[in-house]
CSV table of all heavy atoms in Angstrom, one decimal:
chain,number,residue,atom,x,y,z
T,33,GLY,N,-4.2,16.2,6.5
T,33,GLY,CA,-4.1,17.5,5.8
T,33,GLY,C,-4.9,18.5,6.6
T,33,GLY,O,-4.4,19.6,6.8
T,34,LEU,N,-6.1,18.2,6.9
T,34,LEU,CA,-7.0,19.1,7.7
T,34,LEU,C,-6.4,19.4,9.1
T,34,LEU,O,-6.4,20.5,9.5
T,34,LEU,CB,-8.4,18.5,7.8
T,34,LEU,CG,-9.4,19.4,8.5
T,34,LEU,CD1,-9.6,20.8,7.8
T,34,LEU,CD2,-10.8,18.7,8.5
T,35,GLN,N,-5.9,18.4,9.7
T,35,GLN,CA,-5.2,18.6,11.0
T,35,GLN,C,-4.0,19.5,10.9
T,35,GLN,O,-3.9,20.4,11.7
T,35,GLN,CB,-4.7,17.2,11.6
T,35,GLN,CG,-5.8,16.4,12.2
T,35,GLN,CD,-5.2,15.1,12.7
T,35,GLN,OE1,-4.1,14.7,12.4
T,35,GLN,NE2,-6.0,14.3,13.4
T,36,GLU,N,-3.3,19.4,9.9
T,36,GLU,CA,-2.1,20.2,9.7
T,36,GLU,C,-2.5,21.7,9.4
T,36,GLU,O,-1.9,22.6,9.9
T,36,GLU,CB,-1.2,19.7,8.6
T,36,GLU,CG,-0.6,18.3,8.8
T,36,GLU,CD,-0.1,18.1,10.2
T,36,GLU,OE1,0.8,18.9,10.6
T,36,GLU,OE2,-0.5,17.2,10.9
T,37,LEU,N,-3.6,21.9,8.6
T,37,LEU,CA,-4.1,23.2,8.4
T,37,LEU,C,-4.6,23.9,9.6
T,37,LEU,O,-4.3,25.1,9.9
T,37,LEU,CB,-5.2,23.2,7.3
T,37,LEU,CG,-4.7,22.9,5.9
T,37,LEU,CD1,-6.0,22.7,5.0
T,37,LEU,CD2,-3.8,23.9,5.4
T,38,ILE,N,-5.3,23.1,10.4
T,38,ILE,CA,-5.8,23.7,11.7
T,38,ILE,C,-4.6,24.0,12.6
T,38,ILE,O,-4.6,25.0,13.3
T,38,ILE,CB,-6.8,22.7,12.4
T,38,ILE,CG1,-8.1,22.6,11.5
T,38,ILE,CG2,-7.1,23.1,13.8
T,38,ILE,CD1,-9.0,21.4,12.0
T,39,PHE,N,-3.7,23.0,12.7
T,39,PHE,CA,-2.5,23.2,13.5
T,39,PHE,C,-1.7,24.5,13.1
T,39,PHE,O,-1.4,25.4,13.9
T,39,PHE,CB,-1.5,22.0,13.4
T,39,PHE,CG,-0.2,22.2,14.1
T,39,PHE,CD1,-0.1,22.0,15.4
T,39,PHE,CD2,0.9,22.6,13.4
T,39,PHE,CE1,1.1,22.2,16.1
T,39,PHE,CE2,2.1,22.8,14.0
T,39,PHE,CZ,2.3,22.6,15.3
T,40,LEU,N,-1.5,24.7,11.8
T,40,LEU,CA,-0.8,25.8,11.3
T,40,LEU,C,-1.6,27.1,11.5
T,40,LEU,O,-1.0,28.2,11.8
T,40,LEU,CB,-0.4,25.7,9.8
T,40,LEU,CG,0.7,24.6,9.6
T,40,LEU,CD1,0.8,24.4,8.1
T,40,LEU,CD2,2.0,25.1,10.1
T,41,ALA,N,-2.9,27.1,11.5
T,41,ALA,CA,-3.7,28.3,11.7
T,41,ALA,C,-3.7,28.6,13.2
T,41,ALA,O,-3.7,29.8,13.6
T,41,ALA,CB,-5.1,28.0,11.3
T,42,ALA,N,-3.7,27.6,14.1
T,42,ALA,CA,-3.7,27.9,15.5
T,42,ALA,C,-2.4,28.2,16.1
T,42,ALA,O,-2.3,28.8,17.1
T,42,ALA,CB,-4.4,26.7,16.2
T,43,ARG,N,-1.3,27.7,15.5
T,43,ARG,CA,0.0,27.8,16.0
T,43,ARG,C,0.5,29.2,16.3
T,43,ARG,O,1.1,29.4,17.4
T,43,ARG,CB,1.0,27.1,15.0
T,43,ARG,CG,2.4,27.1,15.4
T,43,ARG,CD,2.6,26.2,16.7
T,43,ARG,NE,4.0,26.2,17.2
T,43,ARG,CZ,4.5,27.1,18.0
T,43,ARG,NH1,3.7,28.1,18.5
T,43,ARG,NH2,5.7,27.0,18.4
T,44,PRO,N,0.2,30.2,15.5
T,44,PRO,CA,0.6,31.6,15.9
T,44,PRO,C,-0.1,32.1,17.2
T,44,PRO,O,0.3,33.0,17.8
T,44,PRO,CB,0.2,32.4,14.7
T,44,PRO,CG,0.1,31.5,13.6
T,44,PRO,CD,-0.4,30.2,14.2
T,45,LEU,N,-1.3,31.5,17.5
T,45,LEU,CA,-2.1,32.0,18.6
T,45,LEU,C,-1.8,31.2,19.9
T,45,LEU,O,-2.0,31.8,21.0
T,45,LEU,CB,-3.6,31.9,18.3
T,45,LEU,CG,-4.0,32.5,17.0
T,45,LEU,CD1,-5.4,32.2,16.6
T,45,LEU,CD2,-3.8,34.0,17.1
T,46,ILE,N,-1.5,30.0,19.8
T,46,ILE,CA,-1.3,29.1,21.0
T,46,ILE,C,0.0,28.3,20.8
T,46,ILE,O,0.4,28.1,19.6
T,46,ILE,CB,-2.5,28.2,21.3
T,46,ILE,CG1,-2.9,27.4,20.1
T,46,ILE,CG2,-3.7,29.1,21.8
T,46,ILE,CD1,-4.1,26.5,20.4
T,47,GLN,N,0.5,27.7,21.9
T,47,GLN,CA,1.7,26.9,21.7
T,47,GLN,C,1.4,25.6,20.9
T,47,GLN,O,0.3,25.2,20.7
T,47,GLN,CB,2.3,26.6,23.0
T,47,GLN,CG,1.5,25.8,24.0
T,47,GLN,CD,2.2,25.4,25.3
T,47,GLN,OE1,2.1,24.3,25.6
T,47,GLN,NE2,2.8,26.3,26.0
T,51,ALA,N,-2.1,23.6,20.0
T,51,ALA,CA,-2.6,23.6,18.7
T,51,ALA,C,-2.8,22.2,18.1
T,51,ALA,O,-3.8,22.0,17.4
T,51,ALA,CB,-1.6,24.4,17.8
T,52,ASN,N,-1.9,21.3,18.4
T,52,ASN,CA,-2.0,19.9,18.0
T,52,ASN,C,-3.3,19.3,18.6
T,52,ASN,O,-4.0,18.6,17.9
T,52,ASN,CB,-0.8,19.1,18.3
T,52,ASN,CG,-0.8,17.7,17.8
T,52,ASN,OD1,-1.2,17.5,16.7
T,52,ASN,ND2,-0.5,16.8,18.7
T,54,LEU,N,-5.9,20.7,19.7
T,54,LEU,CA,-7.1,21.3,19.1
T,54,LEU,C,-7.4,20.7,17.8
T,54,LEU,O,-8.5,20.3,17.5
T,54,LEU,CB,-6.9,22.8,19.0
T,54,LEU,CG,-8.0,23.6,18.2
T,54,LEU,CD1,-9.3,23.5,19.0
T,54,LEU,CD2,-7.6,25.0,18.0
T,55,ALA,N,-6.4,20.6,17.0
T,55,ALA,CA,-6.5,20.0,15.6
T,55,ALA,C,-7.0,18.5,15.7
T,55,ALA,O,-7.9,18.1,14.9
T,55,ALA,CB,-5.2,20.0,14.8
T,58,LEU,N,-10.8,18.4,16.7
T,58,LEU,CA,-11.7,18.8,15.7
T,58,LEU,C,-11.8,17.8,14.5
T,58,LEU,O,-12.8,17.8,13.8
T,58,LEU,CB,-11.3,20.2,15.1
T,58,LEU,CG,-11.4,21.3,16.1
T,58,LEU,CD1,-10.9,22.6,15.5
T,58,LEU,CD2,-12.9,21.5,16.5
T,113,ALA,N,7.0,26.3,12.7
T,113,ALA,CA,5.7,25.6,12.7
T,113,ALA,C,5.6,24.6,11.6
T,113,ALA,O,4.9,23.6,11.7
T,113,ALA,CB,4.6,26.7,12.6
T,114,THR,N,6.2,24.9,10.4
T,114,THR,CA,6.2,24.0,9.3
T,114,THR,C,6.9,22.7,9.7
T,114,THR,O,6.4,21.6,9.3
T,114,THR,CB,6.9,24.7,8.1
T,114,THR,OG1,6.2,25.9,7.8
T,114,THR,CG2,6.8,23.8,6.9
T,117,ALA,N,4.7,20.7,11.9
T,117,ALA,CA,3.6,20.1,11.1
T,117,ALA,C,4.1,18.9,10.3
T,117,ALA,O,3.4,17.9,10.3
T,117,ALA,CB,3.0,21.2,10.2
Side-chain angles (χ1 to χ4, degrees):
L34 184 56
Q35 281 176 352
E36 298 314 307
L37 291 174
I38 294 169
F39 173 82
L40 289 170
R43 182 64 182 89
L45 306 172
I46 55 180
Q47 63 176 229
N52 182 50
L54 174 66
L58 293 175
T114 303

